[in-house]
Amino acid sequence: MSTSEVHAAIQALYGQNAEQQKAANAFLVQFASTPAAWETALALLGVADPAVQYFGANMLYGKCKSDWATLPEAHRAQFCEAVGTHLSQLANAPGSSLAARRLCLVMAAAATRAVPARAFELVDRALALAAAPSSAAPAGVTLALEMQAAIAEETNDAASAAERQALVDALVPRLTDVLGTAERVFERCSVSPSGGAGDSNAGSAATFESLRAAALHAALAWLRLGERGGGGIVLSPGQLASSRGGLLRGALACLGADDAATADAATEFCVAALAYGAPPSPVPGEDDSAVVGVAAALVASGQAAVGPDAEDREDLARNVCKVATAMAERDATFIASASAPEACLALTSLVLSLAETHARAVMEHSADYFLMLNTV
């Protein structure tokens, strides 16, 4: 089957004739299951049509996920190199961003199915991509974050517990390096509680929102590395605050971001960062200090949700309550006992004020917080 025939079928699939679309879809589905699809999909990446490039990248992703075992071992390294070459070519090509992002998933799926060393090497590639001069543009950083997130997610989706553990063991030493990419996103973005971006030279506010959401997604995926295998969260709150404090502060500042995806990602990250799972920090008091710092940040940002414009900050109020609940679930006694730190007592007062100020959605989350405190 020639590349031109497959290309013609893709054009028919994207055409207007319903019968031709149906026939093309059936043909392409059948072809994707054949060994020839590996080479043809790679060839499609070189076609000067972003839609065809994306189709080829998506076909390769499906092949890696479902048919990796059918690719001869002798060809796997060459395949990974070819995909990497196409990614470099498409990364800055006009209109090819979706195909390039899909190739990041292809590379992660292939690397995590090869040997752990290949996944380790891909982490290096992602870090280099994020640090490259061309990555001063948001597109390069976005691809690096996409690749990082995919590596962690493919690791958690490994076929067996043994394969998953081997990958986790190889990747965990790179955790703080990877989180550094996300941290630098927040350093580049002047974040306010409302989600505004003050760095006018770096791009539009919408681009920054997308970057922050991607950074939080990648960071959360790595924080949960090995979770499916029972490993839980990799870093304790104290370890995260001491190694990548800018990332934690940036996430907390985004709880009230105007962009819902960013605010939701920030909330999920903060809740995960406070969860049990990782061994406690070996530094005495480091975890408690980090929790107090989170409480203080919540109290500071949460004031906007009880002030004159409280009605417009319901999402912030809800997110603050969610993170506060995660803190209480972690250690209710530390949060609410008679000897609790002042910031924690102030947080309890804030959650009560949020419940009194807002409607049912916020009240339900504040109730969760007080239910957790009921164990004290």
Side-chain angles (χ1 to χ4, degrees):
M1 184 64 60
S2 68
T3 302
S4 59
E5 290 177 283
V6 176
H7 187 183
I10 295 171
Q11 290 179 316
L13 184 66
Y14 292 149
Q16 302 298 318
N17 187 300
E19 287 299 319
Q20 290 180 356
Q21 286 178 325
K22 183 177 179 180
N25 183 66
F27 166 77
L28 290 168
V29 168
Q30 188 279 328
F31 176 75
S33 65
T34 66
W38 291 102
E39 184 175 355
T40 300
L42 279 172
L44 292 174
L45 299 176
V47 175
D49 181 342
V52 175
Q53 293 165 0
Y54 179 81
F55 195 96
N58 199 50
M59 183 181 291
L60 288 175
Y61 184 54
K63 294 292 286 183
C64 287
K65 296 282 283 185
S66 303
D67 298 333
W68 179 253
T70 68
L71 184 64
E73 287 192 27
H75 296 168
R76 291 177 182 178
Q78 183 180 1
F79 169 78
C80 291
E81 290 176 9
V83 173
T85 299
H86 281 292
L87 175 60
S88 297
Q89 294 169 347
L90 297 181
N92 297 307
S96 298
S97 60
L98 289 178
R101 294 177 66 176
R102 205 64 173 173
L103 285 184
C104 291
L105 305 189
V106 173
M107 295 186 72
T112 54
R113 283 163 175 76
V115 292
R118 181 71 67 178
F120 191 95
E121 292 169 3
L122 189 58
V123 172
D124 281 338
R125 184 180 185 120
L127 292 173
L129 179 61
S134 62
S135 291
V141 180
T142 297
L143 290 178
L145 292 167
E146 191 96 32
M147 193 178 293
Q148 290 174 352
I151 292 168
E153 289 166 351
E154 291 292 342
T155 294
N156 275 332
D157 199 34
S160 70
E163 292 174 350
R164 184 164 55 249
Q165 192 58 54
L167 285 165
V168 170
D169 291 343
L171 295 176
V172 163
R174 307 309 305 274
L175 174 63
T176 55
D177 293 333
V178 170
L179 294 183
T181 305
E183 185 178 53
R184 285 188 291 275
V185 167
F186 287 99
E187 290 173 351
R188 291 175 56 194
C189 303
S190 179
V191 183
S192 70
S194 63
D199 189 352
S200 59
N201 294 324
S204 67
T207 299
F208 277 125
E209 291 293 4
S210 176
L211 263 180
R212 283 191 287 243
L216 289 164
H217 173 68
L220 179 61
W222 275 77
L223 200 62
R224 288 175 168 168
L225 195 64
E227 188 176 48
R228 179 180 166 189
I233 301 302
V234 180
L235 290 179
S236 73
Q239 291 171 318
L240 176 61
S242 64
S243 64
R244 294 300 177 194
L247 172 58
L248 181 57
R249 290 189 296 272
L252 287 165
C254 281
L255 294 178
D258 292 334
D259 180 71
T262 302
D264 289 346
T267 303
E268 188 177 7
F269 178 83
C270 292
V271 168
L274 291 163
Y276 279 112
S281 170
V283 179
E286 188 173 63
D287 286 337
D288 288 348
S289 177
V291 170
V292 171
V294 171
L298 292 177
V299 171
S301 64
Q303 298 305 316
V306 293
D309 299 323
E311 289 185 5
D312 297 329
R313 307 313 306 274
E314 183 172 297
D315 289 344
L316 171 61
R318 183 185 65 248
N319 293 339
V320 166
C321 288
K322 286 182 177 180
V323 178
T325 300
M327 293 177 61
E329 187 174 7
R330 178 182 178 83
D331 192 342
T333 300
F334 180 75
I335 296 296
S337 67
S339 59
E342 183 178 342
C344 295
L345 297 176
L347 178 60
T348 298
S349 178
L350 171 66
V351 174
L352 181 59
S353 296
L354 294 174
E356 293 172 342
T357 303
H358 293 276
R360 180 172 180 175
V362 175
M363 293 175 64
E364 288 177 348
H365 288 292
S366 63
D368 290 338
Y369 175 79
F370 287 108
L371 283 173
M372 291 297 170
L373 295 191
N374 194 43
T375 62
V376 178

